[in-house]
Amino acid sequence: MTDDILTTPVQFTPAAGCRWLTPLYDALVMTLTRETAWRDALVAQVAPAREDVIVDLGCGTGSMLLRLAQTEPGACLMGVDPDAAILRLAHRKAAAAGVSLQLLNGFGRDVAGLFGGWGVTKIVSSLVLHQVPLAEKRATLVGAYDLLLPGGELHIADYGRQVSGTMRLLFRLTVQMVDGVADTGPQADGILPDLIAEAGFMDIVETQAFDTPTGTIRLYRAVRR
């Protein structure tokens, strides 16, 4: 597979919420989210195999795809993101690591059209759904369901229900200050598992939770019927 970035004009919330913060995104995630802990847990949960075809929804700078490639270099790894600028960062990171990725510009709701025919076995998404409108959350999860083969797996790491007062306050002072309350609020209230079920997935499980300086990040696993 050759490296590729296809671009289309779109509107979206940029990484870290503001365009001027995009170059700092990786450093912010590493510093403020206990990134190593939850990313390692997510990679272990995905358990990439040589025969897997994996798509990262909202792949950003490619951090998750590169970790998956390190774990299983034989897996077919692809990503989609609406931000062409951040995809260029991902492309440079992949080239520096000697990893071949196909990176497409688009929304999560469009993945069935973008990757249909590839035989996608697993979909992963990290720190994306919390910052998109509720209708887009639903459309993204439906798109993921439509793309996966029967029995395919969905793996998500994202801000979920903020149970304690401390976590909710940290979330409000960091994530919601940057990404706004309207889009992030439903996930702070714990809506994500319900949205995954609405999209048609079964066997929905919250597997782990990580308290961080920006709120609680939760890991989810679900299976396409």
Side-chain angles (χ1 to χ4, degrees), residues 90-175:
H91 183 75
R92 289 198 289 271
K93 283 172 63 175
V99 175
S100 179
L101 302 174
Q102 182 164 338
L103 306 174
L104 306 186
N105 181 231
F107 284 111
R109 64 171 180 257
D110 300 323
V111 290
L114 292 171
F115 298 106
W118 279 91
V120 175
T121 58
K122 294 174 182 175
I123 288 176
V124 64
S125 180
S126 54
L127 303 190
V128 174
L129 289 171
H130 74 274
Q131 66 177 8
V132 303
L134 185 57
E136 195 70 20
K137 298 182 205 293
R138 287 192 165 99
T140 296
L141 291 167
V142 169
Y145 186 88
D146 290 342
L147 176 61
L148 281 167
L149 293 174
E153 299 172 0
L154 174 69
H155 299 272
I156 295 175
D158 212 330
Y159 294 100
R161 186 181 178 201
Q162 304 299 311
V163 176
S164 74
T166 299
M167 286 298 106
R168 189 169 282 271
L169 178 61
L170 289 172
F171 186 72
R172 185 178 302 125
L173 293 176
T174 55
V175 176

Side-chain angles (χ1 to χ4, degrees), residues 27-83:
L28 290 171
V29 170
M30 180 177 64
T31 303
L32 298 176
T33 74
R34 296 181 58 204
E35 180 185 23
T36 298
W38 64 260
R39 281 209 195 273
D40 285 352
L42 186 58
V43 169
Q45 179 176 302
V46 173
R50 185 174 184 83
E51 64 272 15
D52 274 331
V53 179
I54 302 174
V55 172
D56 186 351
L57 300 184
C59 63
T61 65
S63 295
M64 197 68 218
L65 288 170
L66 293 177
R67 285 175 181 256
L68 292 170
Q70 290 169 358
T71 303
E72 178 45 76
C76 177
L77 301 172
M78 301 180 286
V80 61
D81 200 286
D83 188 342

